[in-house]
Amino acid sequence: MAEPRDPATTSERPDPSLVLLTVEEAARRLRIGRTTCFRLVLAGEIESVTVGRLRRVPADAVPASVTKLRH
């Protein structure tokens, strides 16, 4: 019997159809810690939006933040 896979620990490709990511999903894509990602979001280093009470990171903000770091 196969064990259930945890998507957080597998090397599955991220869903390209997602427009908004949780901070945790953005952290996984950047290969940084959750706390570090929250710190960058709160500092404005990574763009984010609020949807009701939720904090979300636009999917295109992840590569944009890397581009900012490179320049």
Side-chain angles (χ1 to χ4, degrees), residues 13-18 21 23-32 58-60 62-63 66:
R13 294 209 155 250
D15 184 354
S17 66
L18 293 177
L21 308 171
V23 177
E24 290 87 352
E25 290 169 334
R28 277 196 298 272
R29 287 189 182 191
L30 290 167
R31 301 276 178 124
I32 61 175
D60 60 349
V62 174
V66 173

Side-chain angles (χ1 to χ4, degrees), residues 2-53:
E3 292 183 32
R5 294 185 338 185
D6 180 8
T9 60
T10 61
S11 60
E12 292 180 14
R13 294 209 155 250
D15 184 354
S17 66
L18 293 177
V19 176
L20 294 175
L21 308 171
T22 64
V23 177
E24 290 87 352
E25 290 169 334
R28 277 196 298 272
R29 287 189 182 191
L30 290 167
R31 301 276 178 124
I32 61 175
R34 175 184 170 275
T35 304
T36 301
C37 194
F38 268 106
R39 193 176 318 122
L40 292 170
V41 164
L42 293 176
E45 298 288 326
I46 298 175
E47 179 188 357
S48 68
V49 296
T50 54
V51 181
R53 294 176 51 198

